[in-house]
Amino acid sequence: RGWGKRQSLSARRLGKLLSSPNVPGPLFSPAGDPDTGLPEKHPGKWDLLLPPGHNLDSCSYCIKYLTFLWNLLFSVLGLLILAFGIWGLLDKESLVSERIAHLGSDPMLFFVLVGLAVSTISLAGCMGALYENICLLKFFTGGVIAFVILEILGGLVLYSLRHQIKGSLQNTMLVAVLRYQDDPDLRFIMDEVQMGLQCCGVESYQDWKMNMYFNCSSPGVQACGVPASCCLNPLENGTITNSQCGFGALGMEEFAAQSIISLGGCAPQLSRWLHSHRGVLSACFVFLILVEVGGFLLATKLLADLAFARARGRLAQAGNSTGPTEPASAAPWAAGDQS
């Protein structure tokens, strides 16, 4: 009989211990289960495997998934830019040991860095919104702020130094003319500028005489010629580029050459293009800033909603823990009375 009393007393004490508010909940229960009484995971914990445990309203859920889709779009865009930059480096063999020393001057490195930064920050925003992770959302908002500040400072610098930049562009195009056959990056840039703006050379098509291969004193087949990108119609049958369409153009009279190639230089043509499209460029810049600010505001609103939901959950948990409980001393006395 004494052993039975002790066993009953131990069972009652164990039951009251498990139901006490000081104990998180029943043993072997899943973490974050609101029915078991276990507390949610720590708000700052980087655990992306468990589903979020906050109770958001319908408006907050809309903001959450809108933030996710918003950043998913920019994540894909950043990954595409990153892939393009890596493809350019691999295609030109810029990562081999012989050319790794000149990697810092490779234009494709810019695409790699921009794509890496955009994809990293956008993926942080995606995962932070999907899993309601405060740390990732704060990292995303900080990255957006840094991007906006850098873009505004860059725009101000470009506007204030626009005359010096114009001179630098002319010098860059002059270097591209001199090293046209030796540097594939400069050749690509010069060809795109000449085909896009329908121009040839820096100030005029005669600038190609400074190139040692196109100079009329050169013994090669390119002597007295210009690149195919200077031609008015460089494509044969609309598909294949005729690389020899500009051969001999420097030895012709200007009247005869104008029917084959563009005579005007790219520097004045580029200045006119920038001046005529400055409104469109300014609108694109403002639109980019507004898009980034929109993503920042969505993430900030989601952070505020998560903080409010967490505070509401804590108040509810505190109210449940202060509810009436049966005195712990009632069990032994009740067992004694039954005995």
Side-chain angles (χ1 to χ4, degrees), residues 91-104:
D91 184 67
K92 297 185 300 179
E93 298 181 352
S94 299
L95 300 178
V96 296
S97 57
E98 293 81 4
R99 303 187 61 182
I100 196 69
H102 304 284
L103 183 62

Side-chain angles (χ1 to χ4, degrees), residues 29-44:
S29 59
D33 189 353
D35 296 331
T36 59
L38 275 175
E40 297 174 358
K41 58 183 181 292
H42 192 275

Side-chain angles (χ1 to χ4, degrees), residues 69-90:
L69 294 175
W70 190 285
N71 287 284
L72 181 62
L73 176 63
F74 281 92
S75 299
V76 174
L77 178 62
L79 291 175
L80 290 177
I81 296 174
L82 177 62
F84 175 75
I86 294 176
W87 171 81
L89 293 177
L90 295 177

Side-chain angles (χ1 to χ4, degrees), residues 46-59:
W46 289 62
D47 188 0
L48 300 181
L49 299 178
L50 296 177
H54 305 102
N55 295 321
L56 299 175
D57 54 21
S58 58
C59 180

Side-chain angles (χ1 to χ4, degrees), residues 4 22 48 53 110 120 129 132-133 149 180 213 265 280 293:
N22 296 324
L48 300 181
F110 172 77
T120 300
E132 302 174 10
N133 189 287
I149 292 176
Y180 181 80
Y213 297 96
V280 177
V293 171

Side-chain angles (χ1 to χ4, degrees), residues 13-30:
R13 287 180 177 177
L14 180 60
K16 291 191 175 295
L17 178 63
L18 293 178
S19 62
S20 173
N22 296 324
V23 178
L27 299 178
F28 311 110
S29 59

